[in-house]
Amino acid sequence: GAGVSQSPRYKVAKRGQDVALRCDPISGHVSLFWYQQALGQGPEFLTYFQNEAQLDKSGLPSDRFFAERPEGSVSTLKIQRTQQEDSAVYLCASSSSLTAAGDFNYGYTFGSGTRLTVV
Amino acid sequence: SQELEQSPQSLIVQEGKNLTINCTSSKTLYGLYWYKQKYGEGLIFLMMLQKGGEEKSHEKITAKLDEKKQQSSLHITASQPSHAGIYLCGAEQSGYALNFGKGTSLLVTP
């Protein structure tokens, strides 16, 4: 597709429920990132994939968070036993560049995000 | 990790006025990125600065990185309603991530 697609756009989960958030990056983009953005804050890094390899997961807040990208394209972020503090917008970004922060001319391409509300 | 402070937190300007947003780092910046975010949407890349003293422009938006590479400014000339949104600066940190400031919310009134 033309951009990074994320689904669902909105998700309401009951506390304790498991959720799965999907990211469809731009075709051919080798780098894929997940960020978490709380209300009124900047995005915070969660994890980074280069093709199917998860090279950095240092930003995942707890072992309830798990991400995968098994075939090097679509990625899923899974949150188990959701808590209220997990409520945030989850942003996915992709880049054709292998450098840490994306292409110098184009940066990352971000999706519109999934807004997760845990009640 | 590198702390990025943005100022002001929010800004309301009249259409046609100029404005400046600042981003200050606690450490030397080796790559400084400016993004714009509209409510409920993802981030749109504006510009990236690397060298001390570097300045880039795109349409009516100019970004500068100071010589010491610890401060960047984003200047909008003759603001339009289409400039409204949240402006975020981001800096490369060790590993594979960008570290972002909290953002500056801009509203442009008629």
Side-chain angles (χ1 to χ4, degrees):
Chain A
V4 177
S5 178
Q6 292 188 246
S7 60
R9 282 299 309 273
Y10 304 93
K11 175 71 179 176
V12 178
K14 290 185 178 177
R15 193 167 52 183
Q17 190 178 351
D18 297 350
V19 298
L21 312 180
R22 178 188 167 105
C23 172
D24 221 315
I26 292 175
S27 178
H29 275 194
V30 296
S31 293
L32 185 144
F33 302 78
W34 284 98
Y35 282 80
Q36 179 191 58
Q37 186 175 25
L39 191 63
Q41 304 293 317
E44 294 205 355
F45 170 76
L46 293 177
T47 187
Y48 166 63
F49 289 87
Q50 194 175 98
N51 295 307
E52 68 278 4
Q54 189 174 22
L55 298 188
D56 189 344
K57 54 181 181 179
S58 62
L60 295 176
S62 76
D63 58 8
R64 296 187 295 104
F65 286 72
F66 171 77
E68 60 183 4
R69 193 186 185 197
E71 296 177 1
S73 54
V74 171
S75 177
T76 304
L77 177 67
K78 297 179 179 178
I79 308 173
Q80 296 178 321
R81 305 182 303 281
T82 52
Q83 304 295 315
Q84 283 192 318
E85 62 262 28
D86 300 335
S87 296
V89 175
Y90 291 85
L91 294 165
C92 176
S94 72
S95 170
S96 59
S97 173
L98 291 175
T99 63
D103 185 276
F104 293 164
N105 293 315
Y106 303 107
Y108 300 160
T109 301
F110 278 83
S112 296
T114 294
R115 182 176 296 277
L116 173 65
T117 304
V118 181
V119 297
Chain B
S1 65
Q2 188 163 41
E3 296 289 327
L4 292 175
E5 293 283 334
Q6 285 189 239
S7 62
Q9 274 191 318
S10 62
L11 199 50
I12 302 173
V13 299
Q14 198 172 18
E15 185 175 353
K17 298 293 186 186
N18 302 337
L19 65 108
T20 300
I21 297 168
N22 294 301
C23 175
T24 302
S25 171
S26 57
K27 299 180 183 178
T28 301
L29 295 162
Y30 291 101
L32 189 285
Y33 294 71
W34 283 100
Y35 281 84
K36 179 185 174 185
Q37 185 176 30
K38 294 218 164 189
Y39 180 74
E41 298 181 17
L43 281 66
I44 297 168
F45 174 75
L46 296 175
M47 276 169 278
M48 183 265 186
L49 303 165
Q50 259 196 316
K51 301 173 186 174
E54 187 175 7
E55 180 176 319
K56 287 187 179 177
S57 293
H58 176 68
E59 297 179 347
K60 293 183 179 178
I61 301 177
T62 300
K64 299 178 187 179
L65 182 62
D66 75 337
E67 289 289 345
K68 291 184 179 179
K69 295 170 62 172
Q70 285 194 284
Q71 186 166 7
S72 179
S73 60
L74 186 83
H75 184 78
I76 299 177
T77 304
S79 57
Q80 302 289 319
S82 60
H83 289 128
I86 299 170
Y87 289 83
L88 292 150
C89 63
E92 295 182 20
Q93 61 181 36
S94 61
Y96 299 92
L98 280 184
N99 182 36
F100 286 95
K102 291 186 178 181
T104 295
S105 177
L106 172 64
L107 179 64
V108 180
T109 62

